[in-house]
Amino acid sequence: MDVIEELKAVRGRDIPYSRVLSSMCTVPHPVAAEAHSLFIETNLGDPGIFVGTMELEKKVISMLGRLLGNKNAAGYISSGGTEANIQGIRAARNLKKVDKPNIVIPKSAHFSFEKIGDILGVEIRRAKLDENYCVDVSEVEKLVDDNTVALVGIAGTTELGQVDDIKELGKIAEDQNVFLHIDAAFGGLVLPFLDEKVPFDFEVRAVSSITVDPHKMGMATIPAGGILFRDETFLKALEVETPYLTTRFQYTLTGTRPGTGVASTYAVLKHLGYDGMKGIVRECLRNTRTLVEEMKTLGFEPVVEPVMNVVSFHARDASRLKDELYRRRWVISTIREPEAIRMVIMPHVNEEMIKEFISDFRQMLIRLGYLS
Amino acid sequence: MDVIEELKAVRGRDIPYSRVLSSMCTVPHPVAAEAHSLFIETNLGDPGIFVGTMELEKKVISMLGRLLGNKNAAGYISSGGTEANIQGIRAARNLKKVDKPNIVIPKSAHFSFEKIGDILGVEIRRAKLDENYCVDVSEVEKLVDDNTVALVGIAGTTELGQVDDIKELGKIAEDQNVFLHIDAAFGGLVLPFLDEKVPFDFEVRAVSSITVDPHKMGMATIPAGGILFRDETFLKALEVETPYLTTRFQYTLTGTRPGTGVASTYAVLKHLGYDGMKGIVRECLRNTRTLVEEMKTLGFEPVVEPVMNVVSFHARDASRLKDELYRRRWVISTIREPEAIRMVIMPHVNEEMIKEFISDFRQMLIRLGYLS
C-alpha cells in the first residue's frame, strides 16, 4: 500500500471533530489551513532567512496586543499554552532572582502548571476557590511570601470557563511587588468579543504577561500558542546568545519553530476582523445555551451558569457516562470537584451536532437506566 | 487585498531555500508535505481522540529506535531538538535528585544548552575540545562530581559535524553512575546511513537518551524533533496527571501538539526506506565534497575534513564575508573558534546550486579584493 493511503487509514481511526465535545481545539478555519500550507517550509528559528514571516509575527503580536489592551506588547507565537505559561513564569523567576521561588496559582489552574513547577524548579502554591469556582483572593494573599515571584490568574478556567478577579489579584501583585501572569489560553480570544467587558488583560496595570492561544478559539492551525509581555524587558530575561544563526539572540523556548501558526493566526484575524470574531464567539455562546437547555431536559444542571463556551454539569457516575459515550464515539470529559461532566462548545460544535449528541445521550441514559 | 495574496507577498520576502547554505532544515520531502496536510487537524495532546495518530507515533518511535540500536526505545516526536534535549536532561535530573544538579557537555554543544541550564536550574559545565574539535574525554572526567546528573555527547556538532567519542563517554558515565544523553539532532539521521559505522547510539550501553530531529535530515515538516529514551522508566520521570483529557498522564513538555510531524516523519522513512535514505545521505556527502573542492579553488581550507554534510572553512573576516553574501541573498553562517565560515549541505543544496554559489562567491571575492 502506498504510504499516503496508509496514512489516510490512520486518520480514519482518529475520532472526527464532529464527535468531539471535550477539546479546546477545533477544526482550523479554512483560511487558516490555506495560510498554513503557504508557510509549511518556514522556520522562525532563523529570522534572517524568514524575514517576511518574522515581520508577520511582529504584526500578529501587535494585533493580539491591541485586543488585549496593549498595542506595545512584546512576545511571540509559541508551541502552545504550556510553553507560553513556562515563559511567563520563567521571565518572572529570572527577573526576581530569589533563592527558592514560588508562584501562587488558583486550584483551578491547568494541570500543566505542575509540569511547569517541575521544569522550572518553582514551588507551586494552589489557592482555594470561592463558591463560584474563582480564586479566593484572600487565600492568594495568605500564600504570598518573600519568595513569591508571580501570581497567576485564569481568564477562562479549563473546567468551567470562569474568570478570576484579575483586578483584585492585581492589587495584591502591586502591594507585594510580584508579577501577575494571566493564563487566558482559552479566554483570551473569547472575552474581547463579549458585550459585557470583563477586566482581565493589560488594561489591569499589574498584569505583566498573558498566555493566549490562537489554536484554541482563534481557529488557527496547531501549533499556535501565544505569550505576550507588557514590554520587551521580559524577553531580555529569556534571551540566550545564538552564535550560528542569522540573528544574535533567541528568547523563544524552542529553536527551530514553524511559521505556520503565525500565518494561520494572522489569516483568521485579518479575514474575520473584530466583527467576524465576535460573530463566531456569539454563535458558540448561543450553542452553549442550547446545550444547557437540552441537558436540563435530561436532568443535568450546570455547575455554574457558563460565562463562555465551556460548561460542566453535575453528574453522578461522571466517569462511567464519559466511558459509555466514548464507546459510542462521543468524546466528552469529566471534572472531579464537583463530580461533573464537561463540554466545550467550540466552533465545530454546531446546532445539528448538539441535537445528534443529545438524542444519542438520551437513548444511552435510558438504556443504562438513568432515565426512563 | 485578499489575505492569502497578502501572505504570498510575505513569503516573497523570505529568502528561498535555493539561496540557503546555513540551515540544518530543508525543503520538506514532497511525501512529507502531503502527509502533513492530511494531519493538519490532529492534536496528539489528546490521544483518546487521535487514536490512529497516536498509534502512528508509537510506530515512528519504534522505527527511529531500530535505526538507533534499540527497537524498544520509548519517546515521542517533540517540537524540536531543544524540547528533546530539555526532556533528556530533565529526566536525568528528576531521576538523580541531587541538590545542585550539573551536567557536563562539550564546548561544541548547541547554544540551546545554555537555555536548558536556565530553564531546568541545572549548572552547565563545558568541557574543552581536542585537536579534532571533539570533546576531550579527560576534561569531561575532571568536571564530573557528586552533583553531576548527566554527560552529554554530540553526534554531529552544529559547527563542524563532528562526533564525540561516545564509547569513552559511556565508560565515564558508567564509572560515575550518571546518565549519558546524546544530542544527535542532526547526526541521528545521517550516521545510520554511512558505510563506516560510528558508535553513537543505544548500542553503546551507557547511552540513556538520544535527541534525533526528523525535521533536519529526516526531511519531515517542522515541527518534528525527537526524544528517545532507553526505556519507559524515563518517561515516568516526566509525567504529570491530566484530569480532563482522554488519557491519564502526560510526559510531553507541550500539551496540545500537532500530529503533522509524526505523519511526515513516517511518510519519509516509509517511502524512502533504508536504502532511499542512504541514497539521500550519499548525495549530500557527494555535494559536500564538491563544495570542499570548489572552495579550495577559491583558497579556502576546511577546518576539519567533514565526516558529514556540515563543513566550516578557515576565513579571515568571516563575518564580513557572511554579511556581503547576505546582501547578495546568499545565506551562510560563521563560527568563532577558529574564525571560519560554515555551510550545511542539506538535500536542497544540489550541484547546480553549489556551482551558482561558487560563481557568485568568486565574483564577490574579486570585487572585494580578496581574490584577483
Side-chain angles (χ1 to χ4, degrees):
Chain A
M1 184 165 51
D2 170 56
V3 67
I4 295 299
E5 289 309 310
E6 189 184 347
L7 289 173
K8 283 180 184 163
V10 167
R11 281 290 285 132
R13 292 197 293 281
D14 290 341
I15 297 177
Y17 272 110
S18 59
R19 308 291 284 191
V20 174
L21 283 151
S22 64
S23 180
M24 285 183 157
C25 290
T26 189
V27 180
H29 191 284
V31 83
E34 201 177 342
H36 181 108
S37 295
L38 284 175
F39 285 71
I40 197 170
E41 292 182 4
T42 60
N43 168 19
L44 281 166
D46 221 339
I49 297 174
F50 296 96
V51 184
T53 308
M54 193 70 201
E55 284 166 11
L56 189 69
E57 181 171 54
K58 287 200 174 32
K59 220 161 155 175
V60 166
I61 293 302
S62 155
M63 287 164 94
L64 290 171
R66 265 196 306 273
L67 271 176
L68 300 176
N70 176 10
K71 66 178 173 32
N72 299 316
Y76 69 94
I77 296 301
S78 69
S79 61
T82 302
E83 178 182 344
N85 284 329
I86 290 174
Q87 296 286 72
I89 302 305
R90 183 176 159 222
R93 186 201 67 179
N94 288 3
L95 288 166
K96 276 287 174 191
K97 293 191 176 71
V98 298
D99 248 17
K100 289 182 176 298
N102 72 62
I103 60 174
V104 181
I105 73 174
K107 262 202 181 354
S108 55
H110 190 260
F111 69 83
S112 61
F113 277 94
E114 290 302 325
K115 215 189 282 187
I116 293 168
D118 177 60
I119 290 168
L120 295 177
V122 167
E123 184 199 341
I124 306 294
R125 299 182 172 181
R126 288 192 178 255
K128 285 184 204 148
L129 307 182
D130 64 19
E131 66 283 4
N132 294 317
Y133 301 93
C134 293
V135 74
D136 183 331
V137 177
S138 66
E139 291 288 327
V140 171
E141 199 155 18
K142 281 184 213 159
L143 291 170
V144 175
D145 67 14
D146 289 349
N147 288 318
T148 302
V149 298
L151 312 182
V152 173
I154 315 295
T157 61
T158 310
E159 300 198 336
L160 297 164
Q162 293 293 80
V163 182
D164 291 325
D165 189 336
I166 306 300
K167 271 191 167 168
E168 285 302 313
L169 287 175
K171 282 182 196 163
I172 303 176
E174 285 184 333
D175 279 356
Q176 306 283 340
N177 189 29
V178 297
F179 292 106
L180 176 55
H181 174 73
I182 305 302
D183 184 352
F186 188 78
L189 288 170
V190 176
L191 296 170
F193 306 108
L194 297 185
D195 291 327
E196 217 171 308
K197 292 296 168 227
V198 182
F200 79 102
D201 62 13
F202 288 114
E203 286 189 6
V204 178
R205 204 174 47 188
V207 170
S208 41
S209 51
I210 301 178
T211 289
V212 51
D213 287 356
H215 67 203
K216 295 189 168 86
M217 278 298 288
M219 296 164 287
T221 51
I222 296 168
I227 175 70
L228 265 62
F229 292 101
R230 182 166 287 277
D231 59 51
E232 293 215 332
T233 56
F234 293 90
L235 293 180
K236 296 266 177 248
L238 301 172
E239 274 180 0
V240 294
E241 261 195 279
T242 56
Y244 349 96
L245 295 180
T246 45
T247 183
R248 280 198 54 216
F249 293 96
Q250 192 171 78
Y251 45 73
T252 55
L253 189 143
T254 55
T256 296
R257 61 191 182 101
T260 50
V262 166
S264 63
T265 301
Y266 182 79
V268 174
L269 293 178
K270 187 76 189 282
H271 175 74
L272 290 178
Y274 183 86
D275 290 338
M277 283 294 294
K278 200 178 163 84
I280 299 272
V281 168
R282 192 190 299 123
E283 182 69 10
C284 289
L285 291 177
R286 206 175 58 79
N287 288 330
T288 303
R289 280 190 300 274
T290 303
L291 179 69
V292 169
E293 291 316 310
E294 294 287 343
M295 286 291 285
K296 282 180 178 171
T297 69
L298 301 181
F300 291 93
E301 288 297 323
V303 174
V304 290
E305 280 302 325
V307 290
M308 46 183 97
N309 46 330
V310 182
V311 58
S312 290
F313 299 92
H314 290 289
R316 275 176 308 132
D317 302 336
S319 279
R320 185 181 176 210
L321 295 179
K322 182 185 74 170
D323 292 346
E324 289 286 346
L325 280 167
Y326 189 76
R327 282 185 47 215
R328 290 158 174 84
R329 264 176 103 76
W330 279 111
V331 192
I332 63 158
S333 70
T334 57
I335 70 173
R336 295 187 234 184
E337 273 184 50
E339 186 178 7
I341 54 177
R342 167 184 168 269
M343 298 171 207
V344 193
I345 299 81
M346 294 301 290
H348 68 269
V349 183
N350 56 28
E351 216 179 307
E352 195 186 328
M353 182 176 157
I354 292 171
K355 289 218 182 323
E356 201 184 333
F357 168 73
I358 290 290
S359 159
D360 285 3
F361 192 31
R362 185 187 307 273
Q363 280 178 30
M364 184 189 106
L365 290 169
I366 291 168
R367 186 152 312 169
L368 297 177
Y370 289 96
L371 262 185
S372 53
Chain B
M1 184 165 52
D2 170 56
V3 68
I4 296 299
E5 289 308 310
E6 189 184 346
L7 288 173
K8 283 179 184 162
V10 167
R11 281 290 285 133
R13 292 196 293 279
D14 290 342
I15 297 177
Y17 272 111
S18 59
R19 307 291 284 190
V20 174
L21 282 152
S22 63
S23 180
M24 284 184 157
C25 290
T26 189
V27 180
H29 192 284
V31 83
E34 200 177 343
H36 181 107
S37 296
L38 284 175
F39 285 70
I40 196 170
E41 292 182 5
T42 60
N43 168 18
L44 281 166
D46 221 338
I49 297 174
F50 297 96
V51 185
T53 308
M54 194 70 201
E55 285 166 10
L56 190 69
E57 182 171 53
K58 287 199 174 30
K59 219 161 156 175
V60 166
I61 292 303
S62 155
M63 287 164 95
L64 290 172
R66 265 197 306 273
L67 271 176
L68 300 176
N70 176 11
K71 66 178 172 32
N72 299 316
Y76 69 94
I77 297 300
S78 69
S79 60
T82 302
E83 178 181 344
N85 284 330
I86 290 174
Q87 295 286 72
I89 302 306
R90 183 176 159 220
R93 186 202 65 180
N94 288 2
L95 288 166
K96 276 287 176 192
K97 293 191 177 70
V98 298
D99 248 17
K100 289 183 176 300
N102 71 63
I103 60 173
V104 181
I105 73 173
K107 263 203 179 355
S108 55
H110 190 260
F111 69 82
S112 61
F113 277 95
E114 291 302 326
K115 214 189 283 187
I116 293 168
D118 177 60
I119 290 169
L120 295 177
V122 167
E123 184 199 341
I124 306 294
R125 298 181 172 184
R126 288 193 178 254
K128 286 184 203 148
L129 307 182
D130 64 19
E131 65 283 6
N132 295 316
Y133 302 93
C134 293
V135 74
D136 183 331
V137 176
S138 67
E139 291 289 326
V140 171
E141 199 155 18
K142 281 184 212 158
L143 291 170
V144 175
D145 67 15
D146 289 349
N147 288 318
T148 303
V149 298
L151 312 182
V152 173
I154 314 295
T157 61
T158 309
E159 299 197 336
L160 297 164
Q162 292 293 79
V163 182
D164 291 325
D165 189 336
I166 306 300
K167 270 191 168 167
E168 285 302 313
L169 286 176
K171 281 182 196 162
I172 303 176
E174 285 184 334
D175 280 356
Q176 306 283 340
N177 190 29
V178 297
F179 293 106
L180 176 54
H181 174 74
I182 304 301
D183 184 352
F186 188 78
L189 287 170
V190 177
L191 296 170
F193 307 107
L194 297 185
D195 291 327
E196 216 171 309
K197 291 296 169 229
V198 182
F200 80 102
D201 62 13
F202 288 114
E203 286 189 7
V204 178
R205 205 173 47 187
V207 169
S208 41
S209 51
I210 302 178
T211 289
V212 52
D213 287 355
H215 67 203
K216 294 189 168 86
M217 278 298 287
M219 297 164 287
T221 52
I222 297 167
I227 175 70
L228 265 62
F229 292 102
R230 182 166 288 277
D231 59 51
E232 293 215 332
T233 55
F234 293 89
L235 292 180
K236 297 265 176 248
L238 301 172
E239 274 180 359
V240 294
E241 260 196 279
T242 57
Y244 349 95
L245 295 179
T246 44
T247 183
R248 280 200 52 217
F249 293 97
Q250 192 172 79
Y251 45 73
T252 55
L253 189 142
T254 55
T256 296
R257 61 191 182 101
T260 50
V262 166
S264 63
T265 302
Y266 182 79
V268 174
L269 293 178
K270 187 76 188 283
H271 174 74
L272 290 178
Y274 183 86
D275 291 338
M277 283 295 294
K278 200 179 163 85
I280 300 272
V281 168
R282 192 190 299 122
E283 183 69 10
C284 289
L285 291 176
R286 208 175 58 78
N287 288 330
T288 303
R289 280 191 299 276
T290 304
L291 179 69
V292 170
E293 291 316 311
E294 294 287 342
M295 286 292 284
K296 282 180 178 170
T297 69
L298 301 181
F300 291 93
E301 288 298 322
V303 174
V304 291
E305 280 302 325
V307 290
M308 45 183 97
N309 46 330
V310 182
V311 57
S312 291
F313 299 92
H314 290 289
R316 274 176 308 131
D317 302 336
S319 279
R320 185 182 175 207
L321 294 179
K322 183 185 73 172
D323 293 345
E324 289 286 346
L325 281 166
Y326 189 75
R327 283 185 46 214
R328 290 158 174 85
R329 264 175 103 78
W330 279 111
V331 192
I332 63 159
S333 69
T334 57
I335 70 173
R336 295 186 236 185
E337 273 184 51
E339 186 179 6
I341 54 176
R342 167 184 168 269
M343 299 171 206
V344 192
I345 299 82
M346 295 300 290
H348 68 269
V349 183
N350 56 28
E351 217 179 308
E352 196 187 328
M353 181 176 158
I354 292 170
K355 289 221 182 323
E356 200 184 333
F357 168 74
I358 291 291
S359 160
D360 286 2
F361 192 32
R362 185 188 305 272
Q363 280 178 29
M364 183 188 106
L365 291 169
I366 292 168
R367 186 153 311 171
L368 297 177
Y370 289 96
L371 262 186
S372 51

